[in-house]
Amino acid sequence: MPTTIESMQPRTENDGGPLSPTALVTGATAGIGESVARGLAQRGWRVLVHGRTPETAAAAVRRLGAFGDRCVPIAADLEALDNVADLTRQVRVHAPSGLAALVNNAGAAFPARRLSSDGVERTIAVNHLAAAALTVMLEPLLRKSDVRGEPARVVMVTSYLEARAQPVSDWTYAKGWGQLRAYAYSKLANLAFAYLLARQWSDEIGVYMVDPGGVRSNFQRRAGGPLRAIGALGGAFMSSPQEAARGVVDAVALAPIGPTGSYIRAGRVRTSSKRSRDPEFQSDIAQQTNRLIDARQAR
């Protein structure tokens, strides 16, 4: 019988003495996400390790070895908002005392245009809509956490490619779709939404955007299309997932290097694209995002 999440019987919040801060890391079964999960577990955090399927999540926890005792595998395919809602329910079960950190790392890029079950181009659905919806749905747990004696943190893993994006009003991307275009726009939209959240939540929940730069991983190979070629040609000049994860782990576990709403690259607060920082653009993104979330809740 294959190992399932249920059969692993992970530790509860109260196992093993004093309560440790809990972090959810999405897309934690490979690449940056798996390295982030390992880095946080090494620092004593309890980590909810998200994968697309129960099998991949459980396998990732096993690869963490001794640190896997601090980890809980959870699973959901983030293309659909219904699955995001299910992931939220799983987090509530495994972190009833609150969530000290949410790392929105899961990402995707597809070689062909298709729509999610919510009627959104899949790259936008995974990279922006799912991350935004998960953050909003987990707000009560983020506000509830006080294990560290400081506000919970949300870390959005972003990309320098957001600066190349052009606005898209139709999230089905019926015209002008391209793999790189959709990927860049999804990161721009998510970055703009994160800036808006940072302002709205002020110091109540910290929001940080971390750009790991070019990373040498299997992401490009799995994506296919132009991204696969970029990974093959530029891999020698990219950082490893372990190197890239350090900035994300630091943004979660160390004293912030900047105020909430900071865009961080290479360990320094930087400036993202002008469009991502435009309040009117941010408001437009939030309205489109909230309409889709509200439509799902009304079904």
Side-chain angles (χ1 to χ4, degrees):
M1 178 182 295
T3 301
T4 65
I5 285 177
E6 289 76 12
S7 68
M8 292 188 70
Q9 297 181 338
R11 290 162 36 118
T12 67
E13 278 192 333
N14 296 315
D15 289 342
L19 195 63
S20 298
T22 298
L24 166 61
V25 182
T26 66
T29 60
I32 297 175
E34 185 170 339
S35 294
V36 169
R38 181 180 296 276
L40 289 174
Q42 287 174 335
R43 291 174 185 244
W45 283 64
R46 181 171 176 271
V47 185
L48 306 185
V49 176
H50 162 260
R52 189 178 180 188
T53 68
E55 293 75 19
T56 57
V61 169
R62 287 195 296 271
R63 286 195 298 274
L64 293 175
F67 299 112
D69 288 344
R70 299 175 183 157
C71 298
V72 178
I74 56 178
D77 184 339
L78 298 182
E79 276 191 37
L81 286 176
D82 282 347
N83 296 341
V84 175
D86 179 63
L87 182 61
T88 303
R89 287 189 287 270
Q90 294 178 56
V91 175
R92 291 194 194 109
V93 169
H94 291 295
S97 298
L99 195 64
L102 165 60
V103 179
N104 282 305
N105 166 76
F110 300 97
R113 173 185 170 271
R114 278 180 24 208
L115 302 184
S116 72
S117 59
D118 300 293
V120 176
E121 190 276 331
R122 290 186 298 164
T123 308
I124 299 172
V126 174
N127 295 351
H128 168 59
L129 184 59
L134 184 62
T135 304
V136 170
M137 292 177 185
L138 288 176
E139 179 183 353
L141 280 181
L142 291 164
R143 290 187 179 278
K144 188 177 182 181
S145 177
D146 61 359
V147 174
R148 294 200 296 171
E150 62 178 69
R153 300 181 194 176
V154 174
V155 176
M156 296 285 195
V157 179
T158 185
S159 170
Y160 61 91
L161 289 175
E162 63 87 15
R164 298 180 52 183
Q166 294 299 317
V168 178
S169 58
D170 175 10
W171 284 7
T172 70
Y173 226 129
K175 296 182 179 179
W177 183 92
Q179 185 189 56
L180 288 176
R181 289 177 181 175
Y183 183 79
Y185 175 76
S186 70
K187 290 299 186 178
L188 170 63
N190 191 240
L191 182 56
F193 187 84
Y195 278 128
L196 186 63
L197 275 187
R199 286 203 310 276
Q200 291 178 343
W201 289 351
S202 186
D203 293 327
E204 297 169 356
I205 300 173
V207 180
Y208 301 89
M209 294 74 80
V210 177
D211 174 7
V215 182
R216 184 175 59 254
S217 70
N218 287 329
F219 177 81
Q220 295 94 342
R221 180 182 58 79
R222 291 195 305 269
L227 276 175
R228 181 169 186 168
I230 291 172
L233 295 172
F237 304 98
M238 297 178 179
S239 62
S240 69
Q242 294 78 16
E243 293 168 328
R246 288 176 194 149
V248 180
V249 172
D250 288 349
V252 171
L254 299 184
I257 65 171
T260 183
S262 292
Y263 174 86
I264 302 167
R265 184 172 67 243
R268 294 175 56 190
V269 176
R270 307 293 181 103
T271 302
S272 62
S273 67
K274 182 177 180 180
R275 181 168 282 115
S276 71
R277 295 178 284 112
D278 178 5
E280 184 175 349
F281 179 72
Q282 294 167 5
S283 179
D284 289 344
I285 293 296
Q287 288 178 19
Q288 288 181 273
T289 302
N290 291 332
R291 277 199 299 268
L292 288 161
I293 295 173
D294 291 344
R296 179 262 158 194
Q297 292 175 334
R299 290 201 296 265

